[in-house]
Amino acid sequence: MKSLLENISLLENVYELSMAVLLLCSLFSVRLFKKLKRERKLSVFEFTMYMLIRISIFLWLTSFLLIRYGTYLPLNF
């Protein structure tokens, strides 16, 4: 049973590390798209990716903050 819990802990650490790497890559992509946008007009695909990445970073950050620091208030009907 202990090794199962250790494996779950390891998987959670790998998951958090992968999310950090994905977030870092997303931020670098947005930075690159901003640079390209100053130099020339973005293609439709580039603009779509630029907007999707920005929206996904915002949604991830919002959900992260709500999960970590938000309080759960159950609704009583």
Side-chain angles (χ1 to χ4, degrees), residues 47-63:
F47 181 74
T48 304
M49 289 300 297
Y50 175 66
M51 293 307 295
L52 284 174
I53 292 171
R54 287 183 63 170
I55 291 168
S56 63
I57 289 172
F58 173 75
L59 290 175
W60 176 83
L61 182 60
T62 304
S63 65

PDB file of all heavy atoms in Angstrom, residues 47-63:
ATOM      1  N   PHE A  47      -2.509  33.959 -35.731  1.00  0.00           N
ATOM      2  CA  PHE A  47      -3.374  34.773 -34.887  1.00  0.00           C
ATOM      3  C   PHE A  47      -4.293  33.897 -34.037  1.00  0.00           C
ATOM      4  O   PHE A  47      -4.505  34.169 -32.855  1.00  0.00           O
ATOM      5  CB  PHE A  47      -4.206  35.735 -35.750  1.00  0.00           C
ATOM      6  CG  PHE A  47      -5.092  36.621 -34.937  1.00  0.00           C
ATOM      7  CD1 PHE A  47      -4.557  37.685 -34.219  1.00  0.00           C
ATOM      8  CD2 PHE A  47      -6.456  36.385 -34.873  1.00  0.00           C
ATOM      9  CE1 PHE A  47      -5.370  38.501 -33.457  1.00  0.00           C
ATOM     10  CE2 PHE A  47      -7.267  37.194 -34.108  1.00  0.00           C
ATOM     11  CZ  PHE A  47      -6.730  38.255 -33.407  1.00  0.00           C
ATOM     12  N   THR A  48      -4.809  32.823 -34.634  1.00  0.00           N
ATOM     13  CA  THR A  48      -5.661  31.888 -33.890  1.00  0.00           C
ATOM     14  C   THR A  48      -4.884  31.240 -32.755  1.00  0.00           C
ATOM     15  O   THR A  48      -5.378  31.161 -31.619  1.00  0.00           O
ATOM     16  CB  THR A  48      -6.219  30.810 -34.832  1.00  0.00           C
ATOM     17  OG1 THR A  48      -6.913  31.446 -35.904  1.00  0.00           O
ATOM     18  CG2 THR A  48      -7.158  29.877 -34.103  1.00  0.00           C
ATOM     19  N   MET A  49      -3.680  30.799 -33.039  1.00  0.00           N
ATOM     20  CA  MET A  49      -2.858  30.188 -31.995  1.00  0.00           C
ATOM     21  C   MET A  49      -2.521  31.201 -30.906  1.00  0.00           C
ATOM     22  O   MET A  49      -2.556  30.875 -29.715  1.00  0.00           O
ATOM     23  CB  MET A  49      -1.563  29.618 -32.588  1.00  0.00           C
ATOM     24  CG  MET A  49      -1.771  28.390 -33.432  1.00  0.00           C
ATOM     25  SD  MET A  49      -2.510  27.034 -32.506  1.00  0.00           S
ATOM     26  CE  MET A  49      -1.264  26.712 -31.313  1.00  0.00           C
ATOM     27  N   TYR A  50      -2.212  32.416 -31.298  1.00  0.00           N
ATOM     28  CA  TYR A  50      -1.891  33.490 -30.356  1.00  0.00           C
ATOM     29  C   TYR A  50      -3.054  33.723 -29.401  1.00  0.00           C
ATOM     30  O   TYR A  50      -2.870  33.769 -28.174  1.00  0.00           O
ATOM     31  CB  TYR A  50      -1.551  34.750 -31.145  1.00  0.00           C
ATOM     32  CG  TYR A  50      -1.309  35.987 -30.332  1.00  0.00           C
ATOM     33  CD1 TYR A  50      -0.218  36.087 -29.475  1.00  0.00           C
ATOM     34  CD2 TYR A  50      -2.155  37.079 -30.432  1.00  0.00           C
ATOM     35  CE1 TYR A  50       0.014  37.239 -28.744  1.00  0.00           C
ATOM     36  CE2 TYR A  50      -1.931  38.230 -29.707  1.00  0.00           C
ATOM     37  CZ  TYR A  50      -0.848  38.305 -28.863  1.00  0.00           C
ATOM     38  OH  TYR A  50      -0.624  39.441 -28.139  1.00  0.00           O
ATOM     39  N   MET A  51      -4.253  33.812 -29.935  1.00  0.00           N
ATOM     40  CA  MET A  51      -5.428  34.059 -29.101  1.00  0.00           C
ATOM     41  C   MET A  51      -5.771  32.844 -28.245  1.00  0.00           C
ATOM     42  O   MET A  51      -6.105  32.986 -27.060  1.00  0.00           O
ATOM     43  CB  MET A  51      -6.626  34.462 -29.970  1.00  0.00           C
ATOM     44  CG  MET A  51      -6.449  35.802 -30.638  1.00  0.00           C
ATOM     45  SD  MET A  51      -6.011  37.141 -29.499  1.00  0.00           S
ATOM     46  CE  MET A  51      -7.470  37.251 -28.505  1.00  0.00           C
ATOM     47  N   LEU A  52      -5.696  31.646 -28.803  1.00  0.00           N
ATOM     48  CA  LEU A  52      -5.999  30.438 -28.032  1.00  0.00           C
ATOM     49  C   LEU A  52      -5.034  30.245 -26.867  1.00  0.00           C
ATOM     50  O   LEU A  52      -5.442  29.877 -25.763  1.00  0.00           O
ATOM     51  CB  LEU A  52      -5.978  29.203 -28.936  1.00  0.00           C
ATOM     52  CG  LEU A  52      -7.180  29.009 -29.833  1.00  0.00           C
ATOM     53  CD1 LEU A  52      -6.955  27.824 -30.766  1.00  0.00           C
ATOM     54  CD2 LEU A  52      -8.439  28.814 -29.017  1.00  0.00           C
ATOM     55  N   ILE A  53      -3.774  30.507 -27.098  1.00  0.00           N
ATOM     56  CA  ILE A  53      -2.779  30.366 -26.033  1.00  0.00           C
ATOM     57  C   ILE A  53      -3.032  31.398 -24.936  1.00  0.00           C
ATOM     58  O   ILE A  53      -2.999  31.073 -23.752  1.00  0.00           O
ATOM     59  CB  ILE A  53      -1.347  30.489 -26.592  1.00  0.00           C
ATOM     60  CG1 ILE A  53      -1.022  29.286 -27.474  1.00  0.00           C
ATOM     61  CG2 ILE A  53      -0.336  30.592 -25.459  1.00  0.00           C
ATOM     62  CD1 ILE A  53       0.273  29.428 -28.241  1.00  0.00           C
ATOM     63  N   ARG A  54      -3.328  32.635 -25.333  1.00  0.00           N
ATOM     64  CA  ARG A  54      -3.600  33.668 -24.324  1.00  0.00           C
ATOM     65  C   ARG A  54      -4.840  33.339 -23.503  1.00  0.00           C
ATOM     66  O   ARG A  54      -4.840  33.486 -22.276  1.00  0.00           O
ATOM     67  CB  ARG A  54      -3.774  35.025 -24.997  1.00  0.00           C
ATOM     68  CG  ARG A  54      -2.458  35.584 -25.502  1.00  0.00           C
ATOM     69  CD  ARG A  54      -2.626  36.928 -26.082  1.00  0.00           C
ATOM     70  NE  ARG A  54      -3.075  37.824 -25.018  1.00  0.00           N
ATOM     71  CZ  ARG A  54      -3.147  39.136 -25.137  1.00  0.00           C
ATOM     72  NH1 ARG A  54      -2.813  39.697 -26.261  1.00  0.00           N
ATOM     73  NH2 ARG A  54      -3.557  39.878 -24.139  1.00  0.00           N
ATOM     74  N   ILE A  55      -5.884  32.867 -24.155  1.00  0.00           N
ATOM     75  CA  ILE A  55      -7.110  32.500 -23.442  1.00  0.00           C
ATOM     76  C   ILE A  55      -6.859  31.310 -22.527  1.00  0.00           C
ATOM     77  O   ILE A  55      -7.310  31.298 -21.373  1.00  0.00           O
ATOM     78  CB  ILE A  55      -8.246  32.211 -24.443  1.00  0.00           C
ATOM     79  CG1 ILE A  55      -8.675  33.501 -25.130  1.00  0.00           C
ATOM     80  CG2 ILE A  55      -9.442  31.550 -23.753  1.00  0.00           C
ATOM     81  CD1 ILE A  55      -9.586  33.298 -26.322  1.00  0.00           C
ATOM     82  N   SER A  56      -6.127  30.319 -23.017  1.00  0.00           N
ATOM     83  CA  SER A  56      -5.880  29.128 -22.197  1.00  0.00           C
ATOM     84  C   SER A  56      -5.002  29.452 -20.984  1.00  0.00           C
ATOM     85  O   SER A  56      -5.215  28.904 -19.901  1.00  0.00           O
ATOM     86  CB  SER A  56      -5.263  28.006 -23.025  1.00  0.00           C
ATOM     87  OG  SER A  56      -4.014  28.386 -23.520  1.00  0.00           O
ATOM     88  N   ILE A  57      -4.031  30.341 -21.133  1.00  0.00           N
ATOM     89  CA  ILE A  57      -3.215  30.753 -19.987  1.00  0.00           C
ATOM     90  C   ILE A  57      -4.095  31.447 -18.951  1.00  0.00           C
ATOM     91  O   ILE A  57      -4.002  31.166 -17.755  1.00  0.00           O
ATOM     92  CB  ILE A  57      -2.051  31.670 -20.426  1.00  0.00           C
ATOM     93  CG1 ILE A  57      -1.004  30.870 -21.190  1.00  0.00           C
ATOM     94  CG2 ILE A  57      -1.413  32.347 -19.218  1.00  0.00           C
ATOM     95  CD1 ILE A  57       0.074  31.723 -21.827  1.00  0.00           C
ATOM     96  N   PHE A  58      -4.978  32.329 -19.414  1.00  0.00           N
ATOM     97  CA  PHE A  58      -5.880  33.022 -18.497  1.00  0.00           C
ATOM     98  C   PHE A  58      -6.806  32.038 -17.781  1.00  0.00           C
ATOM     99  O   PHE A  58      -6.994  32.121 -16.566  1.00  0.00           O
ATOM    100  CB  PHE A  58      -6.699  34.074 -19.256  1.00  0.00           C
ATOM    101  CG  PHE A  58      -7.755  34.718 -18.415  1.00  0.00           C
ATOM    102  CD1 PHE A  58      -7.417  35.657 -17.466  1.00  0.00           C
ATOM    103  CD2 PHE A  58      -9.090  34.368 -18.571  1.00  0.00           C
ATOM    104  CE1 PHE A  58      -8.391  36.249 -16.667  1.00  0.00           C
ATOM    105  CE2 PHE A  58     -10.071  34.952 -17.787  1.00  0.00           C
ATOM    106  CZ  PHE A  58      -9.717  35.891 -16.838  1.00  0.00           C
ATOM    107  N   LEU A  59      -7.388  31.091 -18.527  1.00  0.00           N
ATOM    108  CA  LEU A  59      -8.278  30.105 -17.910  1.00  0.00           C
ATOM    109  C   LEU A  59      -7.536  29.214 -16.933  1.00  0.00           C
ATOM    110  O   LEU A  59      -8.046  28.893 -15.852  1.00  0.00           O
ATOM    111  CB  LEU A  59      -8.963  29.263 -18.992  1.00  0.00           C
ATOM    112  CG  LEU A  59     -10.002  29.987 -19.836  1.00  0.00           C
ATOM    113  CD1 LEU A  59     -10.495  29.072 -20.946  1.00  0.00           C
ATOM    114  CD2 LEU A  59     -11.144  30.485 -18.983  1.00  0.00           C
ATOM    115  N   TRP A  60      -6.318  28.806 -17.299  1.00  0.00           N
ATOM    116  CA  TRP A  60      -5.545  27.969 -16.384  1.00  0.00           C
ATOM    117  C   TRP A  60      -5.224  28.735 -15.107  1.00  0.00           C
ATOM    118  O   TRP A  60      -5.361  28.209 -14.001  1.00  0.00           O
ATOM    119  CB  TRP A  60      -4.246  27.502 -17.036  1.00  0.00           C
ATOM    120  CG  TRP A  60      -3.407  26.740 -16.077  1.00  0.00           C
ATOM    121  CD1 TRP A  60      -3.516  25.428 -15.768  1.00  0.00           C
ATOM    122  CD2 TRP A  60      -2.363  27.273 -15.248  1.00  0.00           C
ATOM    123  NE1 TRP A  60      -2.584  25.103 -14.807  1.00  0.00           N
ATOM    124  CE2 TRP A  60      -1.871  26.211 -14.463  1.00  0.00           C
ATOM    125  CE3 TRP A  60      -1.800  28.531 -15.097  1.00  0.00           C
ATOM    126  CZ2 TRP A  60      -0.844  26.387 -13.552  1.00  0.00           C
ATOM    127  CZ3 TRP A  60      -0.784  28.699 -14.180  1.00  0.00           C
ATOM    128  CH2 TRP A  60      -0.320  27.635 -13.420  1.00  0.00           C
ATOM    129  N   LEU A  61      -4.775  29.977 -15.246  1.00  0.00           N
ATOM    130  CA  LEU A  61      -4.429  30.776 -14.074  1.00  0.00           C
ATOM    131  C   LEU A  61      -5.643  31.003 -13.173  1.00  0.00           C
ATOM    132  O   LEU A  61      -5.551  30.871 -11.953  1.00  0.00           O
ATOM    133  CB  LEU A  61      -3.839  32.119 -14.503  1.00  0.00           C
ATOM    134  CG  LEU A  61      -3.385  33.046 -13.388  1.00  0.00           C
ATOM    135  CD1 LEU A  61      -2.291  32.384 -12.554  1.00  0.00           C
ATOM    136  CD2 LEU A  61      -2.906  34.349 -13.953  1.00  0.00           C
ATOM    137  N   THR A  62      -6.781  31.295 -13.770  1.00  0.00           N
ATOM    138  CA  THR A  62      -8.002  31.494 -13.000  1.00  0.00           C
ATOM    139  C   THR A  62      -8.393  30.229 -12.251  1.00  0.00           C
ATOM    140  O   THR A  62      -8.681  30.271 -11.051  1.00  0.00           O
ATOM    141  CB  THR A  62      -9.153  31.937 -13.924  1.00  0.00           C
ATOM    142  OG1 THR A  62      -8.754  33.103 -14.638  1.00  0.00           O
ATOM    143  CG2 THR A  62     -10.417  32.208 -13.143  1.00  0.00           C
ATOM    144  N   SER A  63      -8.386  29.098 -12.944  1.00  0.00           N
ATOM    145  CA  SER A  63      -8.764  27.843 -12.284  1.00  0.00           C
ATOM    146  C   SER A  63      -7.754  27.457 -11.208  1.00  0.00           C
ATOM    147  O   SER A  63      -8.131  26.974 -10.137  1.00  0.00           O
ATOM    148  CB  SER A  63      -8.913  26.724 -13.307  1.00  0.00           C
ATOM    149  OG  SER A  63      -7.681  26.444 -13.920  1.00  0.00           O
TER     150      SER A  63
END
